Amino acid sequence: MPKAIARPVSGITCGDCPQMIEGVVGALPGVTVAEVNARAGVVAVIYDVPAEPAGIEAAVLQAGYRITQHTEGKSS
């Protein structure tokens, strides 16, 4: 069953930042949707195995952005 997470991200400073984050996170195995709301500074991800929150966060960090806090939920 797919799961969903949303993580506040800092460092989104230009119009290319959302596409960079979406591309890096969206390329992870198991990620079906990665969307960034630049105005809110949030990346929302729908994923299934083998993806996991720690790996998604690591991809955001590796891309040069910072996770600022955690908000987690499940999709129906």
Side-chain angles (χ1 to χ4, degrees):
M1 173 175 245
K3 298 178 183 175
I5 61 170
R7 297 288 190 260
V9 177
S10 66
I12 299 173
T13 58
C14 70
D16 292 332
C17 291
Q19 290 86 2
M20 170 68 85
I21 297 168
E22 290 170 354
V24 170
V25 174
L28 295 172
V31 172
T32 55
V33 175
E35 294 181 349
V36 174
N37 180 323
R39 178 174 274 194
V42 174
V43 59
V45 182
I46 298 176
Y47 67 98
D48 210 339
V49 175
E52 58 185 43
I56 293 166
E57 292 174 7
V60 171
L61 293 171
Q62 197 167 16
Y65 302 90
R66 197 173 76 118
I67 302 293
T68 56
Q69 66 183 30
H70 298 288
T71 306
E72 194 161 341
K74 285 187 173 183
S75 65
S76 316

